[in-house]
Amino acid sequence: MKKLTAEEAKNIIPLKPGKYTLLYSQLIQLKPGEALIITTCDWVTNKPPYETIRRVMKNTGLKLEYGRMPDGSGWLVKRVG
């Protein structure tokens, strides 16, 4: 076990059952201007991550821009506002 300080723990959102996947948790922690690259080796399902991204936008009100990486290596998600 590892004990965290209050400052270390405040930035970590625990994964809950249901819709809170690792991607969902990472997206809601993005600050305005930050971006997240999801590589194809990180995302192992057949469908792209767009469904999860749209669910985050709908449920939290975050404004995100998303799409494929220009080189085809994965997807890019940016928090706009």
Side-chain angles (χ1 to χ4, degrees):
M1 285 194 270
K2 181 180 176 184
K3 186 174 181 179
L4 301 174
T5 64
E7 188 169 314
E8 292 172 331
K10 77 175 182 178
N11 295 328
I12 299 174
I13 298 175
L15 298 178
K16 298 175 184 173
K19 65 183 176 189
Y20 285 91
T21 62
L22 181 59
L23 176 61
Y24 192 99
S25 177
Q26 293 293 320
L27 290 174
I28 61 177
Q29 292 183 48
L30 286 177
K31 296 188 180 3
E34 290 184 335
L36 181 68
I37 295 175
I38 307 162
T39 60
T40 52
C41 61
D42 292 337
W43 192 257
V44 293
T45 63
N46 292 335
K47 294 182 179 179
Y50 301 133
E51 197 173 305
T52 303
I53 296 167
R54 285 191 294 267
R55 187 179 325 122
V56 168
M57 291 171 57
K58 179 182 174 186
N59 293 340
T60 63
L62 295 178
K63 304 255 189 271
L64 302 171
E65 286 183 353
Y66 56 93
R68 291 181 316 212
M69 291 287 289
D71 60 0
S73 63
W75 300 271
L76 176 69
V77 183
K78 274 188 212 176
R79 178 159 176 207
V80 187

